[in-house]
Amino acid sequence: MLSRHSHDTHSTAFPIGLLLLAVGAILAYLAIGGALTENNSKIAVYTPQMSDGAKPR
């Protein structure tokens, strides 16, 4: 018979640590890539314009 304390306990430290490591690596990649490509280029992003006659669905 199994006692109530004999069940498997899974640690969440490894998946959370792995997730944080991946997020940190992505942020570092973006920061380094942004610093290397910063050559004062003028880039603009425009949002789509809504027409006056558009009706929400």
Side-chain angles (χ1 to χ4, degrees):
M1 182 186 262
L2 296 173
S3 68
R4 68 179 202 165
H5 295 294
S6 67
H7 60 83
D8 263 343
T9 57
H10 299 287
S11 174
T12 58
F14 179 71
I16 291 174
L18 190 62
L19 179 68
L20 291 176
L21 182 65
V23 169
I26 291 169
L27 289 176
Y29 172 77
L30 291 174
I32 292 170
L36 292 177
T37 60
E38 187 175 315
N39 55 4
N40 295 329
S41 63
K42 304 290 182 191
I43 298 174
V45 176
Y46 297 99
T47 59
Q49 297 295 318
M50 296 292 293
S51 64
D52 291 334
K55 294 179 183 165
R57 292 182 178 199

